[in-house]
Structure formats: structure tokens, C-alpha cells
Amino acid sequence: MAFLADSLSRVKPSATIAVSQKARELKAKGVDVIGLGAGEPDFDTPDHIKQAAKDAIDRGETKYTAVAGIPELREAISKKFKRENGLNYTPAQCIAGTGGKQILFNAFMATLNPGDEVIIPAPYWVSYPEMVAICGGENVFVETSTESEFKVTAEALEAAITPKTKWFLFNSPSNPSGSAYSWDELKALTDVLMKHPHVWVLTDDMYEHLVYGDFEFCTPAQVEPGLYDRTLTMNGVSKAYSMTGWRLGYAGGPLELIKAMDMIQGQQTSGASSITQWAAVEALNGPQGFLADNRKIFEDRRDLVVSMLNQASGLHCPKPDGAFYVFPSCAGLLGKTTKGGKLLETDEDFVTALLEEEGVAVVHGSAFGLGPNFRISYATDTDSLRNACERIQRFCGNMS
């Protein structure tokens, strides 16, 4: 359509949203579908956070707020970064937005000029490259592999950097793979970045609190303080605090960048919901004990899913250290024909047939920049996960 902007030709719809929508449509028609496509905890928002929102409503905290967030929230964000990450961001260096997506989008909008390059390890969250494209940047993908545990190496990062590189976009634990970088692994990357002072770091720490076993989370500016002045540290309350629908992301970074993002947001959405902001204050400042309880449930689910998928014919599923996703390979099934007569040539063929024949909704790996894999979110109840994995086992076992 000639009326629409040319930039839209560079952008694809979100595959994860599309899968979730297809699952909802099938359920509405009475199909027994288990949806494992959405990255959304099944836990309810903790009561003390909900109560803080109710109290804010009762106090009449229902007016416009400062664009970057109420002072109480920016202070809470500042204290969180100091307490949990050893990062000294003043409240003026902190900003809140309507979800992590807006933080990322505003950062790109504030910094990218045509031709600027953004290095993105693959597999990647589906929205990263689309945001870069909308904002006029060029995506530079660095492929990883099952053998590297889906982590980019220092050598690969070095090879991807050019004079046009503006950002290195980093996500640990990762959506979609669940892979997480140890201190030493991250130090190898930051050593490379220290040699290239024109490259900034945008780190997506959304799954910080979802790490398992004895794994310890770390973030780039914490590992290498020399990167502090060119790092935007992004996080949010959606995953760890089960607040996806509340829509609140936040970041800390250099004051000049935060001011630019504030200006853009002021012409875009203005401040996040006032009630959500007060709930987020309580999330960051209030009791944190439930995080460990939720983490244990997620870890048990991860172990169940990994075990059952590795018992399925033709699948190989690594065990990730964090988030609530697994990213198994279906390479062993390509070229085979399903019980329903579908020839599997790609990972997208695999997930389409799995949904049609067994009613299990997952997302194809090529949507995240790396196939032949698929992503499963285990952020749903254990019985549904076990049922879904049994269906996947049956689906894989009935091929010829």
C-alpha cells in the first residue's frame, strides 16, 4: 500500500505473538491446545505488589507523572542497581517506560543514524532486529550454536565489529535459548569491547532473577567498570515479578542518553501508568522472598522438559542456566514425514505440524535467527508441560 511508510517493508510481525494468537483462535474453536509460545509466567502478581497498586488508587495517584517516572520509582531503580548489581546510577540516570520494549526502542531511536550497525548474537529475541530496522539501523548477526551453548565468543564478537558499529546488544539469560554467561565468559567479551571505544553496550537483563543451580548472574558494566560510561543497563518487572500486563521496564545509563530517551518518550507516550509505577516501587523495594520460591518451581519445570524432550525421537535439548525457555534442535527429524502426511523440510514445518496434529503451540527457531530449532516456554503449570511433552514424544515417534 503506497500510503504506508517505506520503513515498514523492513519489519516482520512478531512470531511469538503470532503463535499465541493462532493458539487462542484454535482454542476458541474448541481445539485442545497447549500453548507454550508466550514468555509469560503463570504465577499471579504477588499480593503485596497488588496491594500497593490498590493503595495508590485510593490515594488518588491517578494523574500524569513525570515522563521518566515518579521520583519514588527512579530512586527505587537506583537502589536496585546498587544493591543487586554494584552499579552506581543516580535517580536522574534512571528511566521507566511502558515495558522493556519501549526502553529498547527509545534507546535505538535516540542513537541510531542510517547505516549504524547493531551487533546481535543469534538466536535473539524476535523484536531486537525489527526495532533496529524501524530506527534506521543495520543488523549484524553473530551466529552461535548448540556446541557453544548459544553463546557468542570473543573471537566472533571481534570479527563483527566495524567502524560503523554503534551498539552491541547483549541478553543474558537469553530469550530464546535460556543460555547465561558466567563472569569469565562475559569478561572475555568486555575485554574485546574495551578495545573499541566507539561501541556501546545495550544489555537486556530482564531474566536476571531466573537463574538456576549455583549459577550467579552478572551484567557487563559490573564485570568491566570501564564500560560504565557507554552502557545502558535495561531491566523490568514483568518476568521475575509476574507483572507482564502491568507494562513497566526501566534502565540506568549515562545521563545524556537518559535525557535523550526522556525527550523521545515525552513526545511518544509520556510516563508509564501511574498505578503501575507505584506497584513497581513496591516490587523493587518490598519483600523478595517469593523470587526464590518461583525460581525453584521454574527449575523443576526446566528439568522435566529437558528430560522428556531428550527422550523424544530426533530431538536434542540442551539444559539452559536461566530464563524459562528451552531451545531444542529438531534437525534429526527434517526430511521425515509426520503421521498426518506432512513432509518436514524446515523448523517452521515442524512447529506447524506439531500444532495441527498434536495441539502443541511452540515457536520455530528461525524466527529467532537460528534453526532448525524451536522454542518452548515452560512458564506454565507442570501438568500442562508434562502433557505437552508426551504429545511431542508421540508426534516425533510417529514419523517415517
PDB file of all heavy atoms in Angstrom, residues 165-179:
ATOM      1  N   THR A 165      29.903   0.173  13.774  1.00  0.00           N
ATOM      2  CA  THR A 165      29.197  -0.437  14.903  1.00  0.00           C
ATOM      3  C   THR A 165      28.826   0.629  15.921  1.00  0.00           C
ATOM      4  O   THR A 165      29.677   1.372  16.411  1.00  0.00           O
ATOM      5  CB  THR A 165      30.065  -1.508  15.586  1.00  0.00           C
ATOM      6  OG1 THR A 165      30.474  -2.477  14.618  1.00  0.00           O
ATOM      7  CG2 THR A 165      29.269  -2.194  16.689  1.00  0.00           C
ATOM      8  N   LYS A 166      27.549   0.698  16.272  1.00  0.00           N
ATOM      9  CA  LYS A 166      27.074   1.648  17.290  1.00  0.00           C
ATOM     10  C   LYS A 166      26.812   0.935  18.613  1.00  0.00           C
ATOM     11  O   LYS A 166      27.175   1.430  19.671  1.00  0.00           O
ATOM     12  CB  LYS A 166      25.804   2.351  16.794  1.00  0.00           C
ATOM     13  CG  LYS A 166      25.177   3.345  17.782  1.00  0.00           C
ATOM     14  CD  LYS A 166      26.042   4.554  18.072  1.00  0.00           C
ATOM     15  CE  LYS A 166      26.150   5.528  16.921  1.00  0.00           C
ATOM     16  NZ  LYS A 166      24.978   6.395  16.713  1.00  0.00           N
ATOM     17  N   TRP A 167      26.144  -0.237  18.546  1.00  0.00           N
ATOM     18  CA  TRP A 167      25.761  -0.960  19.751  1.00  0.00           C
ATOM     19  C   TRP A 167      26.153  -2.441  19.650  1.00  0.00           C
ATOM     20  O   TRP A 167      26.107  -3.023  18.559  1.00  0.00           O
ATOM     21  CB  TRP A 167      24.243  -0.936  19.953  1.00  0.00           C
ATOM     22  CG  TRP A 167      23.609   0.340  20.386  1.00  0.00           C
ATOM     23  CD1 TRP A 167      22.924   1.221  19.596  1.00  0.00           C
ATOM     24  CD2 TRP A 167      23.541   0.869  21.717  1.00  0.00           C
ATOM     25  NE1 TRP A 167      22.439   2.262  20.347  1.00  0.00           N
ATOM     26  CE2 TRP A 167      22.801   2.069  21.662  1.00  0.00           C
ATOM     27  CE3 TRP A 167      24.022   0.434  22.956  1.00  0.00           C
ATOM     28  CZ2 TRP A 167      22.527   2.849  22.784  1.00  0.00           C
ATOM     29  CZ3 TRP A 167      23.758   1.214  24.083  1.00  0.00           C
ATOM     30  CH2 TRP A 167      23.022   2.407  23.991  1.00  0.00           C
ATOM     31  N   PHE A 168      26.464  -3.024  20.789  1.00  0.00           N
ATOM     32  CA  PHE A 168      26.460  -4.473  20.964  1.00  0.00           C
ATOM     33  C   PHE A 168      25.281  -4.772  21.868  1.00  0.00           C
ATOM     34  O   PHE A 168      25.218  -4.308  23.011  1.00  0.00           O
ATOM     35  CB  PHE A 168      27.762  -4.962  21.602  1.00  0.00           C
ATOM     36  CG  PHE A 168      27.735  -6.419  22.029  1.00  0.00           C
ATOM     37  CD1 PHE A 168      27.352  -7.422  21.147  1.00  0.00           C
ATOM     38  CD2 PHE A 168      28.116  -6.780  23.320  1.00  0.00           C
ATOM     39  CE1 PHE A 168      27.329  -8.745  21.537  1.00  0.00           C
ATOM     40  CE2 PHE A 168      28.098  -8.106  23.724  1.00  0.00           C
ATOM     41  CZ  PHE A 168      27.707  -9.095  22.829  1.00  0.00           C
ATOM     42  N   LEU A 169      24.305  -5.518  21.362  1.00  0.00           N
ATOM     43  CA  LEU A 169      23.084  -5.833  22.096  1.00  0.00           C
ATOM     44  C   LEU A 169      23.250  -7.189  22.768  1.00  0.00           C
ATOM     45  O   LEU A 169      23.424  -8.208  22.096  1.00  0.00           O
ATOM     46  CB  LEU A 169      21.887  -5.824  21.144  1.00  0.00           C
ATOM     47  CG  LEU A 169      20.504  -6.124  21.712  1.00  0.00           C
ATOM     48  CD1 LEU A 169      20.208  -5.293  22.951  1.00  0.00           C
ATOM     49  CD2 LEU A 169      19.444  -5.866  20.655  1.00  0.00           C
ATOM     50  N   PHE A 170      23.179  -7.194  24.086  1.00  0.00           N
ATOM     51  CA  PHE A 170      23.527  -8.372  24.884  1.00  0.00           C
ATOM     52  C   PHE A 170      22.340  -8.786  25.745  1.00  0.00           C
ATOM     53  O   PHE A 170      21.689  -7.934  26.354  1.00  0.00           O
ATOM     54  CB  PHE A 170      24.738  -8.030  25.760  1.00  0.00           C
ATOM     55  CG  PHE A 170      25.215  -9.160  26.631  1.00  0.00           C
ATOM     56  CD1 PHE A 170      25.921 -10.224  26.079  1.00  0.00           C
ATOM     57  CD2 PHE A 170      24.964  -9.157  27.991  1.00  0.00           C
ATOM     58  CE1 PHE A 170      26.367 -11.269  26.886  1.00  0.00           C
ATOM     59  CE2 PHE A 170      25.410 -10.187  28.800  1.00  0.00           C
ATOM     60  CZ  PHE A 170      26.111 -11.240  28.248  1.00  0.00           C
ATOM     61  N   ASN A 171      22.078 -10.089  25.810  1.00  0.00           N
ATOM     62  CA  ASN A 171      20.937 -10.603  26.570  1.00  0.00           C
ATOM     63  C   ASN A 171      21.336 -11.886  27.294  1.00  0.00           C
ATOM     64  O   ASN A 171      21.603 -12.902  26.671  1.00  0.00           O
ATOM     65  CB  ASN A 171      19.763 -10.863  25.620  1.00  0.00           C
ATOM     66  CG  ASN A 171      18.553 -11.488  26.282  1.00  0.00           C
ATOM     67  OD1 ASN A 171      17.891 -12.327  25.695  1.00  0.00           O
ATOM     68  ND2 ASN A 171      18.243 -11.094  27.504  1.00  0.00           N
ATOM     69  N   SER A 172      21.385 -11.817  28.613  1.00  0.00           N
ATOM     70  CA  SER A 172      21.738 -12.983  29.431  1.00  0.00           C
ATOM     71  C   SER A 172      21.020 -12.858  30.772  1.00  0.00           C
ATOM     72  O   SER A 172      21.113 -11.815  31.426  1.00  0.00           O
ATOM     73  CB  SER A 172      23.254 -13.040  29.656  1.00  0.00           C
ATOM     74  OG  SER A 172      23.615 -14.027  30.597  1.00  0.00           O
ATOM     75  N   PRO A 173      20.290 -13.947  31.176  1.00  0.00           N
ATOM     76  CA  PRO A 173      19.932 -15.142  30.414  1.00  0.00           C
ATOM     77  C   PRO A 173      19.133 -14.779  29.164  1.00  0.00           C
ATOM     78  O   PRO A 173      18.449 -13.771  29.127  1.00  0.00           O
ATOM     79  CB  PRO A 173      19.092 -15.953  31.396  1.00  0.00           C
ATOM     80  CG  PRO A 173      19.493 -15.480  32.755  1.00  0.00           C
ATOM     81  CD  PRO A 173      19.802 -14.026  32.576  1.00  0.00           C
ATOM     82  N   SER A 174      19.246 -15.658  28.187  1.00  0.00           N
ATOM     83  CA  SER A 174      18.765 -15.355  26.855  1.00  0.00           C
ATOM     84  C   SER A 174      17.325 -15.816  26.602  1.00  0.00           C
ATOM     85  O   SER A 174      16.924 -16.896  27.006  1.00  0.00           O
ATOM     86  CB  SER A 174      19.684 -16.037  25.827  1.00  0.00           C
ATOM     87  OG  SER A 174      19.060 -16.152  24.565  1.00  0.00           O
ATOM     88  N   ASN A 175      16.612 -14.968  25.922  1.00  0.00           N
ATOM     89  CA  ASN A 175      15.399 -15.361  25.220  1.00  0.00           C
ATOM     90  C   ASN A 175      15.796 -15.402  23.739  1.00  0.00           C
ATOM     91  O   ASN A 175      16.164 -14.365  23.182  1.00  0.00           O
ATOM     92  CB  ASN A 175      14.301 -14.322  25.443  1.00  0.00           C
ATOM     93  CG  ASN A 175      13.043 -14.598  24.651  1.00  0.00           C
ATOM     94  OD1 ASN A 175      12.901 -15.632  24.024  1.00  0.00           O
ATOM     95  ND2 ASN A 175      12.122 -13.648  24.687  1.00  0.00           N
ATOM     96  N   PRO A 176      15.839 -16.598  23.112  1.00  0.00           N
ATOM     97  CA  PRO A 176      15.046 -17.793  23.391  1.00  0.00           C
ATOM     98  C   PRO A 176      15.784 -18.982  24.000  1.00  0.00           C
ATOM     99  O   PRO A 176      15.153 -19.989  24.306  1.00  0.00           O
ATOM    100  CB  PRO A 176      14.596 -18.201  21.989  1.00  0.00           C
ATOM    101  CG  PRO A 176      15.812 -17.895  21.152  1.00  0.00           C
ATOM    102  CD  PRO A 176      16.401 -16.628  21.739  1.00  0.00           C
ATOM    103  N   SER A 177      17.092 -18.934  24.154  1.00  0.00           N
ATOM    104  CA  SER A 177      17.824 -20.168  24.463  1.00  0.00           C
ATOM    105  C   SER A 177      17.909 -20.485  25.943  1.00  0.00           C
ATOM    106  O   SER A 177      18.142 -21.632  26.325  1.00  0.00           O
ATOM    107  CB  SER A 177      19.246 -20.094  23.888  1.00  0.00           C
ATOM    108  OG  SER A 177      20.027 -19.165  24.617  1.00  0.00           O
ATOM    109  N   GLY A 178      17.766 -19.468  26.792  1.00  0.00           N
ATOM    110  CA  GLY A 178      17.965 -19.674  28.223  1.00  0.00           C
ATOM    111  C   GLY A 178      19.423 -19.685  28.632  1.00  0.00           C
ATOM    112  O   GLY A 178      19.730 -19.782  29.827  1.00  0.00           O
ATOM    113  N   SER A 179      20.327 -19.574  27.675  1.00  0.00           N
ATOM    114  CA  SER A 179      21.757 -19.586  27.996  1.00  0.00           C
ATOM    115  C   SER A 179      22.127 -18.334  28.781  1.00  0.00           C
ATOM    116  O   SER A 179      21.584 -17.252  28.544  1.00  0.00           O
ATOM    117  CB  SER A 179      22.590 -19.643  26.721  1.00  0.00           C
ATOM    118  OG  SER A 179      22.411 -20.883  26.068  1.00  0.00           O
TER     119      SER A 179
END
